[in-house]
Amino acid sequence: MKTYVAKPGEIEQQWWIYDADGVVVGRLAAEIARLLMGKHRPTYTPHVDTGDFVVVVNAEKIHFTGKKWDLKQYTWYSGYPGLKSETAGARLARRPELILMEAVRRMLPKNKLATKMLSKLKVYAGSEHPHQAQNPQPREVATKTAAATA
């Protein structure tokens, strides 16, 4: 039996759409990273981009658990001495798409292929997106319900 190895351009990529209204950031990011890498396919090959395109709408209504809106800090280097920093709540007010983009980016492999995978993620703060022509299929995020925790 031979092992199947996917070749670039051989995989047909699909488009998926998620509604991030009230969804926990980590749960959504983990599922998106899985789709972008192509791990949901039986033809997954680590060194080939076998993933799909993902569109996320309503990123401004995303949810963190606990006190993360006040305690979670995003830091970055501006080129000047010292780091810039802001809380998750401030980032939500300024650029809500970045919260989900950063969470997904950190779940992807740390190589050149990850940049290509991340370019297939389209995140929008509102409910409108310009990808109607691609006919994205809706997907639901597995959420924890009160019945499951009881």
Side-chain angles (χ1 to χ4, degrees), residues 74-138:
Y74 290 96
T75 58
W76 66 96
Y77 180 61
S78 66
Y80 290 99
L83 292 173
K84 291 258 191 184
S85 165
E86 70 182 349
T87 63
R91 176 152 295 183
L92 181 72
R94 192 171 63 92
R95 289 195 53 200
E97 311 90 22
L98 278 183
I99 291 176
L100 192 59
M101 289 285 273
E102 278 295 300
V104 171
R105 181 185 67 82
R106 291 172 179 170
M107 291 184 184
L108 292 176
K110 302 339 182 236
N111 56 24
K112 292 178 184 177
L113 196 57
T115 307
K116 190 173 179 185
M117 290 175 189
L118 197 60
S119 69
K120 296 187 300 182
L121 174 62
K122 317 294 184 191
V123 182
Y124 298 99
S127 59
E128 299 295 318
H129 65 87
H131 304 288
Q132 293 297 337
Q134 284 76 26
N135 192 19
Q137 302 300 313

Side-chain angles (χ1 to χ4, degrees), residues 16-25 27-29 31-32 35 54-63 100 121-129 136-143:
W16 302 102
I17 186 166
Y18 281 101
D19 187 7
D21 190 3
V23 179
V24 177
V25 174
R27 289 179 183 277
L28 180 59
E31 204 161 315
I32 290 171
L35 286 173
V54 178
V55 178
V56 180
V57 294
N58 291 324
E60 64 202 5
K61 298 176 184 173
I62 204 126
H63 183 69
L100 192 59
L121 174 62
K122 317 294 184 191
V123 182
Y124 298 99
S127 59
E128 299 295 318
H129 65 87
Q137 302 300 313
R139 282 185 74 114
E140 293 292 320
V141 180
T143 57

